[in-house]
Amino acid sequence: DAGVTQSPTHLIKTRGQHVTLRCSPISGHKSVSWYQQVLGQGPQFIFQYYEKEERGRGNFPDRFSARQFPNYSSELNVNALLLGDSALYLCASTPAVVTDTQYFGPGTRLTVL
Amino acid sequence: GEDVEQSLFLSVREGDSSVINCTYTDSSSTYLYWYKQEPGAGLQLLTYIFSNMDMKQDQRLTVLLNKKDKHLSLRIADTQTGDSAIYFCAEDPSNTGKLIFGQGTTLQVKP
């Protein structure tokens, strides 16, 4: 079975641009969470979606937004990129309820110049 | 507040045991997790422990939980060079799936 997949693998943007990152959960998983991992630190929670509804949001500015589609895939959008947004963005999926064990994808490495 | 702390670096010889320690702040976490991250990769779930357990063993991995001291440890027996990676402990204090991670412990295994 395929694990969590994310695209693109790497991305380079300039300050002020917009970016969209995509995630496909493990087949049958209905909950997706997004995390930001800055170099040298642990991941920080950004968003959580379950059954297409936002169930949680971390301490991130409104420039960050996300949505979940009927097939349970998800997009993370970041507007007005800043240098500090450079990070590895990780997506995780869980089987059913939001407290299930989370399985992570390989991440998207975003570099903002 | 919510904070998970880990020592930043551990170096061991191949074949020795490794012990990675973690302290967490919220005793309401139902599960506590250990994840492994290899260079340039995502997070791999290694193991987890339910908060009403003191110990969990899974092949070479042993997790010890001391709820009184809010201390979690991961022991890797017979450490191999392939175990070299960053290890993160994580808690879910609100039991809603919003994981709080430590900074990670870099494990270096010398041949």
Side-chain angles (χ1 to χ4, degrees):
Chain A
D1 285 344
V4 177
T5 59
Q6 293 185 243
S7 63
T9 306
H10 296 88
L11 202 51
I12 299 175
K13 293 284 189 178
T14 56
R15 282 178 294 176
Q17 285 189 311
H18 161 271
V19 69
T20 298
L21 310 180
R22 296 177 175 84
C23 170
S24 292
I26 293 170
S27 178
H29 286 198
K30 298 181 179 179
S31 179
V32 169
S33 296
W34 287 95
Y35 291 80
Q36 180 196 63
Q37 185 181 19
V38 174
L39 194 63
Q41 297 183 18
Q44 281 200 299
F45 171 79
I46 310 175
F47 283 112
Q48 179 188 73
Y49 278 78
Y50 178 65
E51 288 281 14
K52 302 179 287 294
E53 291 189 5
E54 181 182 307
R55 293 297 186 99
R57 182 185 183 115
N59 188 23
F60 280 80
D62 292 343
R63 299 184 295 107
F64 289 75
S65 63
R67 54 180 175 167
Q68 188 177 31
F69 299 98
N71 66 354
Y72 303 110
S73 67
S74 178
E75 282 182 355
L76 175 69
N77 295 284
V78 186
N79 292 324
L81 285 166
L82 303 174
L83 295 179
D85 296 331
S86 295
L88 180 68
Y89 288 85
L90 295 163
C91 173
S93 75
T94 58
V97 297
V98 296
T99 54
D100 279 346
T101 302
Q102 296 186 28
Y103 297 89
F104 283 80
T108 293
R109 172 72 64 188
L110 173 64
T111 301
V112 182
L113 302 176
Chain B
E2 300 168 344
D3 198 11
V4 178
E5 295 189 354
Q6 301 178 236
S7 53
L8 295 182
F9 185 79
L10 175 66
S11 181
V12 300
R13 292 275 177 201
E14 191 174 17
D16 288 349
S17 292
S18 307
V19 179
I20 302 171
N21 295 301
C22 170
T23 57
Y24 60 98
T25 56
D26 200 313
S27 58
S28 63
S29 293
T30 302
Y31 291 97
L32 294 144
Y33 303 88
W34 283 103
Y35 284 88
K36 175 184 179 182
Q37 187 175 39
E38 297 186 17
L43 299 178
Q44 173 193 353
L45 176 67
L46 279 180
T47 187
Y48 60 92
I49 188 167
F50 190 52
S51 59
N52 70 350
M53 299 171 65
D54 297 325
M55 184 181 83
K56 179 181 179 181
Q57 189 151 1
D58 184 0
Q59 299 182 342
R60 293 191 297 122
L61 305 178
T62 303
V63 179
L64 295 178
L65 176 60
N66 181 328
K67 286 192 72 173
K68 174 176 171 291
D69 295 336
K70 296 179 185 172
H71 184 265
L72 183 72
S73 68
L74 174 70
R75 179 178 180 269
I76 306 173
D78 187 25
T79 312
Q80 303 297 307
T81 54
D83 295 324
S84 293
I86 303 175
Y87 291 80
F88 293 94
C89 66
E91 63 169 343
D92 183 2
S94 57
N95 295 314
T96 56
K98 302 173 197 174
L99 296 180
I100 307 294
F101 286 86
Q103 271 188 295
T105 299
T106 298
L107 175 64
Q108 179 189 66
V109 183
K110 297 179 180 178

